Amino acid sequence: MSGLSPAGGRAALCLSLSLSRRRGALRGFAAGPQTHFGFQTVTEEERREKSERGGGGGARSVQPPGLRAGARLGVNQVFESVAKKYDVMNDSMTLGIHRLWKDVLVRKMNPSPGTQLLDVAGGTGDIAFRFINYVRSVRERQLQRRLKHHQNLSWQEIAQSYQEDKSPLGGSQVVVCDINKEMLKVGKEKAQDLGYSEGLSWVLGNAEELPFDDDKFDVYTIAFGIRNVTRIDLALQEAYRVLKPGGRFLCLEFSQVSNPLLSRLYDLYSFQVIPVLGEVIAGDWKSYQYLVESIRRFPPQEELKAMIEDAGFFKVDYQNLNSGIVAIHSGFKL
Amino acid sequence: VVRWQLSPPQRPLQASAVLRRVSDEHKKEPLASSSQQQFDSHPADHQPGQEPQGPDPSYTGQGSQESEDYESEEQLQHRILTAALEFVPEHGWTAEAIAEGAKALGLSAAAAGMFQSDGSQLILHFLSQCNTKLSELLEQEQKLVQQGEAEKKPIDQFLRDAVEARLRMVIPYLERWPQALSILLMPHNIPSSLSLLSSMIDDILHYAGDQSTDINWYTRRAVLTGIYNTTELVMMQDSSPDFEDTWRFLENRIADAMKMGDTANQVQSTGEAIVQGLMGAAVTIKNLTGLNQRR
């Protein structure tokens, strides 16, 4: 494959890549600890850097194409001018099912009005918008129930009810954090188009080093983003730090399929169809090749669960969607 | 009490933000942690064990760490549910009440995500708390009788008092109790609610002195379960002062049950007498028609 790291021009396609990460800076001419990039080896530094510059970063269900010929493959460069094509690619690759997955995530979260949500790597705002919709409807029902009790009120009670908080969101807030500016821009535009104004903030930040104080958020979500984080353990530790006691960590990510027949079909679809779609729709084969490979490299459900527990979360469990194509991991800071 | 310990925790417990040291826990009343009732007769030292839960589709991990100084997650869950009971009159048996309970303990409302969203765990927790209180009450009474400080009650009086005591525990939540019963009737909740109910009935009958080893064991429990359920339903729509109508209904049902026991015997002896009479009539007819003759 072209566009490899300068460190050694190696493209290791075997799973010894995972070992290389742990061995640190002793490989060939590498400047820092090696990590994987799809089925290749690059240094951690490069992988992260690519996330911060121009292109994409954090978590996307699809790596947006944007690779120029001869340019280095990097998590971010893939995102450069294609933040706009993200949603289209998501829909075509997953046949629109990604919307259902995100719906399940928010339903599982079951947020109540007043919840503070941090959506990391949530670039185009899918989770954030769903959260706002959900909280709005819960809030409406709450206000309606309160109204029902308002029969035969005394003047004093009526005066009191005017002072009550009747805001449509009940104090809920979403902070969308992403490492990539383009994605945030697309998200902001989408929010404007769809009419979301209240309770949204957009922050540029790195999942491994969040620009927030401790004990700030009720829920931390990362949908299709943790796969692109270079040091997952750091991201998990940061998640633990910014959550309030009792707060919930939710992670939606591609995972390993358990069913062998489905696994074969899935592999076929992933390696044959998706890169082609990438070429046709977004004009980039390589990024989608990277995407599919990174899905295969990602730790399976149990391993990710162990990593989440290591970060300090309790009551960690996971729910497979579509028999393992996607899994939702959940943990609590207790 | 069976307690399941999973893989030992490798991470430092000090990292836990909320789980308190067990020494703090013990200062509080032990009623906060109740376990699922077993069929043994002495529900003494209630250590936090399994929660009465329905089937869990996802894969839960985390073993309890009660071997260490800190409380386990189950204990924390019990604390949250106990705190949530206060908010039930306002919010009903829902995840909202659990969220309010979590907030009352200083946790984020997102902690309510630990429980199922239909509020069934809250109800089951409340039920097992009530059952624990009831057995403690009955145990106390039995001790008093054994020490000679109280008279041994006749059995119908004993049953009446036990069922009344148990039903009175529901009174503070009576407005929301129909909702609770309907949730408990949902198929995935039936196993847990049924087992709590049957262990409660078993407790009552045990302390009443039932030592039957035949079919009576089953019939007595079935009858008492029926009495309890019907009295509960009557109580929910009773508007008399201090639920007098309900207790009178209970008294009548228990009296009926007592009579039924005698009646059963009477029916049996009457049945035997009738059968003998019929046999005699048959023989007489055979004689008359000459069929009995040996040719």
Side-chain angles (χ1 to χ4, degrees):
Chain A
M1 285 196 169
S2 62
L4 278 175
S5 76
R10 276 187 304 246
L13 284 166
C14 62
L15 293 173
S16 63
L17 283 176
S18 52
L19 294 175
S20 69
R21 200 187 331 177
R22 290 179 184 87
R23 245 166 253 163
L26 298 173
R27 276 261 188 143
F29 310 109
Q34 304 259 303
T35 180
H36 61 84
F37 185 74
F39 288 157
Q40 304 167 9
T41 317
V42 297
T43 61
E44 283 191 0
E45 189 65 27
E46 285 173 333
R47 188 178 179 200
R48 202 180 291 121
E49 248 180 32
K50 303 196 190 254
S51 299
E52 285 174 24
R53 269 185 295 148
R60 329 234 179 279
S61 41
V62 173
Q63 302 297 328
L67 194 64
R68 298 181 195 96
R72 284 194 210 137
L73 269 173
V75 169
N76 264 342
Q77 280 186 328
V78 280
F79 295 92
E80 226 180 51
S81 59
V82 254
K84 302 195 189 281
K85 296 244 189 73
Y86 254 16
D87 293 327
V88 173
M89 263 317 286
N90 284 359
D91 274 332
S92 54
M93 273 204 336
T94 62
L95 307 173
I97 301 180
H98 72 106
R99 296 159 194 260
L100 297 176
W101 292 332
K102 291 170 181 159
D103 286 340
V104 172
L105 179 68
V106 176
R107 217 178 312 141
K108 188 176 171 101
M109 195 197 311
N110 193 16
S112 48
T115 303
Q116 312 291 311
L117 171 67
L118 173 64
D119 185 23
V120 174
T124 47
D126 280 339
I127 302 288
F129 302 148
R130 283 172 172 78
F131 171 83
I132 291 183
N133 289 341
Y134 196 102
V135 166
R136 234 184 244 161
S137 59
V138 172
R139 180 72 177 153
E140 264 173 34
R141 243 185 297 143
Q142 224 180 39
L143 293 175
Q144 265 175 12
R145 248 181 287 147
R146 253 194 246 170
L147 268 177
K148 264 197 250 174
H149 291 302
H150 286 192
Q151 317 284 344
N152 304 326
L153 288 181
S154 69
W155 283 114
Q156 205 163 31
E157 285 168 327
I158 295 180
Q160 254 179 359
S161 79
Y162 275 105
Q163 288 171 352
E164 265 169 17
D165 170 33
K166 286 222 188 86
S167 56
L169 282 182
S172 327
Q173 280 230 348
V174 189
V175 177
V176 180
C177 178
D178 202 291
I179 202 171
N180 183 297
K181 266 184 279 189
E182 291 301 315
M183 293 293 282
L184 285 179
K185 224 182 352 168
V186 171
K188 279 190 222 171
E189 282 169 16
K190 230 166 89 173
Q192 255 187 338
D193 290 340
L194 296 171
Y196 294 99
S197 51
E198 220 190 317
L200 265 182
S201 333
W202 308 84
V203 174
L204 190 68
N206 183 352
E208 296 167 8
E209 217 181 310
L210 292 171
F212 305 108
D213 284 333
D214 300 358
D215 299 348
K216 271 258 160 308
F217 296 99
D218 291 302
V219 186
Y220 173 111
T221 53
I222 183 164
F224 299 117
I226 205 164
R227 204 180 63 250
N228 299 315
V229 170
T230 322
R231 292 281 304 275
I232 298 183
D233 51 339
L234 289 183
L236 293 174
Q237 281 170 29
E238 279 294 282
Y240 189 85
R241 180 180 70 81
V242 300
L243 276 176
K244 286 188 207 164
R248 189 171 196 183
F249 168 86
L250 282 167
C251 163
L252 175 68
E253 190 54 78
F254 288 108
S255 207
Q256 313 292 344
V257 179
S258 39
N259 182 336
L261 173 63
L262 186 61
S263 168
R264 224 149 0 120
L265 290 173
Y266 182 48
D267 283 345
L268 201 70
Y269 181 76
S270 300
F271 287 103
Q272 308 301 330
V273 178
I274 289 182
V276 175
L277 278 180
E279 184 62 43
V280 165
I281 297 183
D284 185 355
W285 173 291
K286 290 203 171 35
S287 317
Y288 292 99
Q289 180 84 13
Y290 158 73
L291 163 73
V292 172
E293 289 171 359
S294 73
I295 292 177
R296 294 297 176 288
R297 294 295 323 276
F298 192 68
Q301 285 90 327
E302 285 290 330
E303 209 179 303
L304 183 60
K305 178 170 148 208
M307 290 171 78
I308 299 176
E309 286 171 357
D310 281 340
F313 290 100
F314 285 84
K315 280 218 94 68
V316 183
D317 66 349
Y318 59 88
Q319 182 188 354
N320 277 339
L321 303 178
N322 289 116
S323 41
I325 298 183
V326 160
I328 300 182
H329 281 75
S330 155
F332 291 88
K333 174 174 177 173
L334 290 181
Chain B
V1 172
V2 173
R3 197 184 296 175
W4 39 276
Q5 299 227 6
L6 295 188
S7 53
Q10 283 155 342
R11 50 215 176 86
L13 287 170
Q14 296 80 355
S16 162
V18 175
L19 298 185
R20 310 186 300 188
R21 291 191 160 268
V22 160
S23 47
D24 291 345
E25 168 85 4
H26 283 160
K27 285 186 203 144
K28 287 188 125 192
E29 39 161 13
L31 287 178
S33 50
S34 51
S35 65
Q36 191 173 6
Q37 290 279 334
Q38 306 293 320
F39 280 98
D40 55 290
S41 46
H42 295 288
D45 178 28
H46 285 278
Q47 304 230 348
Q50 292 184 5
E51 270 194 33
Q53 283 185 0
D56 206 342
S58 49
Y59 304 88
T60 323
Q62 224 33 358
S64 33
Q65 288 128 22
E66 64 271 14
S67 50
E68 314 277 347
D69 266 334
Y70 286 84
E71 65 173 353
S72 69
E73 297 141 12
E74 280 113 7
Q75 281 168 301
L76 178 66
Q77 286 185 306
H78 286 301
R79 269 203 300 142
I80 295 179
L81 290 179
T82 310
L85 285 178
E86 264 183 58
F87 300 94
V88 164
E90 191 189 334
H91 294 276
W93 304 92
T94 55
E96 280 164 11
I98 303 180
E100 292 291 324
K103 282 204 273 202
L105 284 182
L107 296 176
S108 150
M114 279 196 282
F115 307 96
Q116 281 173 332
S117 49
D118 62 353
S120 55
Q121 282 174 291
L122 182 57
I123 306 174
L124 293 170
H125 170 85
F126 172 67
L127 280 185
S128 77
Q129 247 190 1
C130 287
N131 292 355
T132 314
K133 267 195 267 188
L134 178 68
S135 359
E136 282 172 7
L137 201 69
L138 294 177
E139 174 96 25
Q140 291 255 342
E141 279 184 16
Q142 194 186 52
K143 273 211 196 87
L144 289 180
V145 167
Q146 278 173 352
Q147 290 167 355
E149 292 173 20
E151 287 286 317
K152 188 169 162 80
K153 291 189 227 174
I155 189 139
D156 57 339
Q157 174 82 22
F158 181 90
L159 292 179
R160 207 176 345 140
D161 287 342
V163 174
E164 184 179 330
R166 175 62 177 79
L167 284 175
R168 279 194 185 274
M169 296 181 200
V170 172
I171 290 179
Y173 307 97
L174 200 54
E175 212 183 67
R176 300 285 187 171
W177 198 241
Q179 183 195 11
L181 287 184
S182 63
I183 293 178
L184 285 181
L185 278 176
M186 293 213 270
H188 56 268
N189 289 326
I190 287 185
S192 342
S193 66
L194 209 53
S195 83
L196 281 175
L197 176 66
S198 48
S199 59
M200 185 250 300
I201 298 287
D202 190 39
D203 254 354
I204 296 181
L205 279 174
H206 171 87
Y207 283 105
D210 172 41
Q211 286 168 340
S212 50
T213 49
D214 53 355
I215 195 77
N216 278 326
W217 192 92
Y218 294 96
T219 51
R220 287 194 185 135
R221 274 156 185 76
V223 165
L224 188 57
T225 310
I227 295 178
Y228 177 85
N229 283 338
T230 47
T231 315
E232 195 174 23
L233 291 174
V234 166
M235 187 167 84
M236 282 201 292
Q237 45 80 49
D238 185 9
S239 48
S240 59
D242 196 35
F243 302 96
E244 290 167 352
D245 289 348
T246 311
W247 311 135
R248 214 169 327 124
F249 175 88
L250 175 63
E251 203 179 316
N252 292 339
R253 295 290 78 70
I254 293 192
D256 286 347
M258 296 284 122
K259 253 187 283 163
M260 210 168 52
D262 297 333
T263 317
N265 289 337
Q266 282 177 7
V267 163
Q268 207 181 16
S269 45
T270 313
E272 280 170 7
I274 293 180
V275 164
Q276 279 179 354
L278 285 175
M279 291 296 289
V283 169
T284 312
I285 294 177
K286 272 163 70 172
N287 287 341
L288 288 178
T289 55
L291 285 174
N292 236 358
Q293 306 279 2
R294 288 257 185 110
R295 296 271 164 94

